Amino acid sequence: MRWIFDIENPVMHYVVKIFDCMCLSVLWLLFSLPIITAGASTTALYVTIYRYIRKEEGHLWRTFWGAFRENLKRSTLVWLIVLAVAALLAVDVLVFRTMALNGQLLGKLYWLILVLCCVAVTWAAYLFAYAARFRGTARDVLRVSLALMIAHPLRALTVFVPVAAGILLGVMAPGLLTILPAGVCLVVSLVTESVFALHLPKEENT
């Protein structure tokens, strides 16, 4: 039975990966608590998923903390823009839903606003994935990530589904937040990295 606890055993290897993902999810939650730092925390989560979990390079804490500090300013600026868009869409949802319930003609735009919300969620995932992997200004992050998302609508859908599912599960079962952030990020990275490989030269990587 000793082989079960052997670190080289494939089963044990995946158990360790799951534990690492749980640690990463907790780190993401802790560093996102001030809200204003959630963008940098998400960028650091992606960097650690890509380098430590997928490529098995470095150390979990050092990778996360280093990425958090390095991307704090740029990712915070991007995050503030994301929050502004989210707030605007939230107000629109409430306004047009009220119109729809009252039978007003403009209320039909409610469904369009919901579609825009889905697009915004997907764009946010691309934003932080790009910020985690490539250098550039906040404007570059906004511009290039949007272009990549639009260029691959089917891949964008496969990014939206796990993110939306993660949000829904997190709301329904908050206890899953100890694994969901890293799990969702891992799935998203599989898609975004395939998109990056098609368009962006490796030498741009951070």
Side-chain angles (χ1 to χ4, degrees), residues 56-122:
E56 300 185 347
E57 297 176 354
H59 182 273
L60 188 149
W61 164 250
R62 285 196 292 268
T63 302
F64 185 92
W65 176 240
F68 180 85
R69 290 189 303 170
E70 181 181 350
N71 293 282
L72 180 59
K73 183 178 180 180
R74 183 181 61 163
S75 292
T76 298
L77 179 56
V78 170
W79 172 239
L80 290 176
I81 294 172
V82 170
L83 282 180
V85 172
L88 178 61
L89 288 174
V91 171
D92 287 343
V93 166
L94 292 175
V95 170
F96 285 102
R97 183 175 183 275
T98 300
M99 289 182 176
L101 292 175
N102 292 334
Q104 298 179 17
L105 183 61
L106 285 177
K108 294 182 178 179
L109 293 176
Y110 172 65
W111 299 106
L112 175 61
I113 300 300
L114 289 182
V115 172
L116 290 177
C117 288
C118 295
V119 173
V121 168
T122 307

Side-chain angles (χ1 to χ4, degrees), residues 11-159:
V11 175
M12 193 63 184
H13 179 75
Y14 284 109
V15 170
V16 171
K17 289 292 185 183
I18 292 173
F19 179 75
D20 286 338
C21 284
M22 293 178 68
C23 291
L24 268 177
S25 295
V26 172
L27 280 175
W28 178 81
L29 287 169
L30 290 175
F31 278 77
S32 297
L33 282 178
I35 303 300
I36 194 70
T37 59
S41 182
T42 303
T43 302
L45 174 65
Y46 189 100
V47 170
T48 313
I49 286 291
Y50 177 74
R51 293 182 182 172
Y52 179 76
I53 298 296
R54 291 187 56 185
K55 300 184 71 176
E56 300 185 347
E57 297 176 354
H59 182 273
L60 188 149
W61 164 250
R62 285 196 292 268
T63 302
F64 185 92
W65 176 240
F68 180 85
R69 290 189 303 170
E70 181 181 350
N71 293 282
L72 180 59
K73 183 178 180 180
R74 183 181 61 163
S75 292
T76 298
L77 179 56
V78 170
W79 172 239
L80 290 176
I81 294 172
V82 170
L83 282 180
V85 172
L88 178 61
L89 288 174
V91 171
D92 287 343
V93 166
L94 292 175
V95 170
F96 285 102
R97 183 175 183 275
T98 300
M99 289 182 176
L101 292 175
N102 292 334
Q104 298 179 17
L105 183 61
L106 285 177
K108 294 182 178 179
L109 293 176
Y110 172 65
W111 299 106
L112 175 61
I113 300 300
L114 289 182
V115 172
L116 290 177
C117 288
C118 295
V119 173
V121 168
T122 307
W123 184 24
Y126 268 89
L127 280 173
F128 295 112
Y130 182 85
R133 295 281 283 111
F134 300 93
R135 300 187 185 279
T137 64
R139 178 180 295 181
D140 294 330
V141 174
L142 295 167
R143 176 178 55 83
V144 178
S145 60
L146 179 61
L148 292 175
M149 181 187 70
I150 293 173
H152 299 278
L154 291 181
R155 282 190 171 96
L157 180 61
T158 58
V159 167

